[in-house]
Amino acid sequence: MSDNTQFSFGAATGVGSLPGGDAREAAKTATGSFEDFPFLPELPARGPGADMIGRTAGMLVELYARVEPSGWRIGDRPGRDTKRARSWLGEDLDALEEFTQGWEGQLKVQAVGPWTLAAGLELKNGEAALSDPGACRDLAASLAEGLRLHLAEVRRRVPGAQVVLQLDEPSLTAVLRGQVRTASGYRTHRAVDRQLVEATLRDVVGVHDGGPVVVHSCAPDVPFALLRRAGAAAVSFDFSLLTERDDEAIGEAVEAGTRLFTGVVPGTDGPLSDPAGSVMGVRTLWRRLGLRPGLLAQAVTITPACGLAGASPGYARQALAHCARAARSLADNPE
């Protein structure tokens, strides 16, 4: 396993998605909210191709996808859906470049990981790519190549950036447990072997040569140990879904140098507590695990619980600012 302690992450950042459809406004918010860890926003409200699966499908190399009534389906050639996805990503990168002139420091970009992609993309027969081991292999290889090109493009546009890659894997637990439904909805696909899941993730993580990779899931029962073995430098999760069952895995992850991206600020509109209140649970967890309070700021990055696509624009800006303030509270008063 690689030693992850060489990476120092910013104290707070966003998960990825924001409301609305204005790339410049989103880039301004994502870069203005976090002085040490901005991110490339995603705007799914624009429609198919700006959604999580479609955006990453547009990055694939020599594999193409189109929108069917049932969702995204792998096709033979790039059609208008692929072109639209690529066009929107280009627009987002243009806006990011404009607001990161002279930027030096960490910058996070997001894409869907190989297993959520395999669960979310259909083959020609309408079943998820997950149903076919060969299709899963091809998809992971195409994704790895697409990410390599995407990361190179981000570095070209923001040359001072230390790029952090986030792989979104909300379906990972369902893939491991055999809970992904078939096209009919009456059955589920077989669970994928844990070693194969880990090996595939390791291959995709390895694309970001020398750079840190965060794996994000806002589903319950995040497989912390598996992600650590696959080479993730950090794991991003919804803090409210943790149970004491996760304590041991989290303690081991922290001691191995894995960063925790704790999602403590709600992703949809609602009242926000004071910043210290938002991180109270993190402090409590730390005490329960018997970890040094001084380690908190080195080990934890504060984020919203999940993407903010379902929030109002005003709340999304508030939530990001709140994450930055909560991170400061944690650093100033770790006890």
Side-chain angles (χ1 to χ4, degrees):
M1 190 195 77
S2 63
D3 175 25
N4 295 322
T5 50
Q6 76 243 47
F7 302 121
S8 69
F9 290 95
T13 191
V15 170
S17 67
L18 290 176
D22 185 330
R24 286 187 76 254
E25 190 57 40
K28 187 177 169 186
T29 298
T31 55
S33 301
F34 303 109
E35 53 198 39
D36 59 355
F37 202 179
F39 65 99
L40 174 66
E42 301 162 16
L43 300 172
R46 290 183 294 199
D51 60 299
M52 191 171 83
I53 296 291
R55 184 179 178 88
T56 299
M59 294 181 193
L60 297 174
V61 172
E62 291 177 5
L63 272 180
Y64 310 102
R66 63 176 188 272
V67 181
E68 296 286 340
S70 52
W72 284 90
R73 185 170 293 184
I74 294 170
D76 298 323
R77 61 183 71 83
R80 65 165 187 258
D81 296 325
T82 300
K83 291 193 181 92
R84 190 168 51 219
R86 290 177 178 172
S87 164
W88 272 329
L89 180 58
E91 202 178 289
D92 294 339
L93 287 167
D94 287 345
L96 182 76
E97 186 177 356
E98 180 186 340
F99 288 99
T100 51
Q101 293 293 309
W103 169 252
E104 291 188 357
Q106 291 194 313
L107 171 67
K108 184 166 72 70
V109 299
Q110 306 82 220
V112 175
W115 292 107
T116 296
L117 203 57
L121 271 179
E122 298 173 358
L123 300 172
K124 288 173 188 149
N125 65 3
E127 287 297 350
L130 190 65
S131 63
D132 180 337
C136 289
R137 262 196 314 277
D138 292 348
L139 199 53
S142 172
L143 173 65
E145 193 48 45
L147 286 174
R148 196 175 281 119
L149 295 171
H150 177 56
L151 291 165
E153 175 68 5
V154 174
R155 286 192 204 97
R156 185 184 70 74
R157 287 168 174 267
V158 193
Q162 296 153 3
V163 183
V164 175
L165 171 64
Q166 176 179 305
L167 295 174
D168 291 320
E169 281 284 13
S171 301
L172 186 59
T173 303
V175 166
L176 288 165
R177 293 186 171 173
Q179 293 169 338
V180 176
R181 295 210 164 276
T182 56
S184 70
Y186 294 124
R187 293 186 306 112
T188 55
H189 294 289
R190 277 214 307 259
V192 181
D193 178 74
R194 291 183 83 87
Q195 284 177 310
L196 176 60
V197 168
E198 186 184 317
T200 302
L201 274 167
R202 190 180 299 112
D203 289 345
V204 176
V205 166
V207 163
H208 193 17
D209 191 26
V213 176
V214 183
V215 179
H216 167 73
S217 170
C218 44
D221 299 318
V222 175
F224 287 93
L226 183 151
L227 296 175
R228 199 177 81 231
R229 289 194 304 270
V235 180
S236 167
F237 56 97
D238 179 344
F239 189 80
S240 71
L241 298 178
L242 285 188
T243 67
E244 293 199 13
R245 276 206 319 270
D246 299 304
D247 280 9
E248 192 181 338
I250 287 180
E252 284 172 5
V254 171
E255 283 171 357
T258 306
R259 182 91 177 183
L260 304 179
F261 280 46
T262 57
V264 296
V265 177
T268 49
D269 291 41
L272 290 168
S273 71
D274 67 300
S278 293
V279 288
M280 198 158 61
V282 181
R283 290 194 185 97
T284 305
L285 171 71
W286 229 244
R287 279 198 295 276
R288 205 165 67 222
L289 295 176
L291 294 165
R292 273 189 311 112
L295 191 63
L296 258 175
Q298 296 165 36
V300 171
T301 293
I302 300 296
T303 71
C306 212
L308 293 166
S312 66
Y315 176 81
R317 285 192 295 275
Q318 271 184 303
L320 297 181
H322 193 85
C323 287
R325 285 198 295 272
R328 266 199 300 280
S329 161
L330 202 58
D332 294 346
N333 304 299
E335 298 285 352

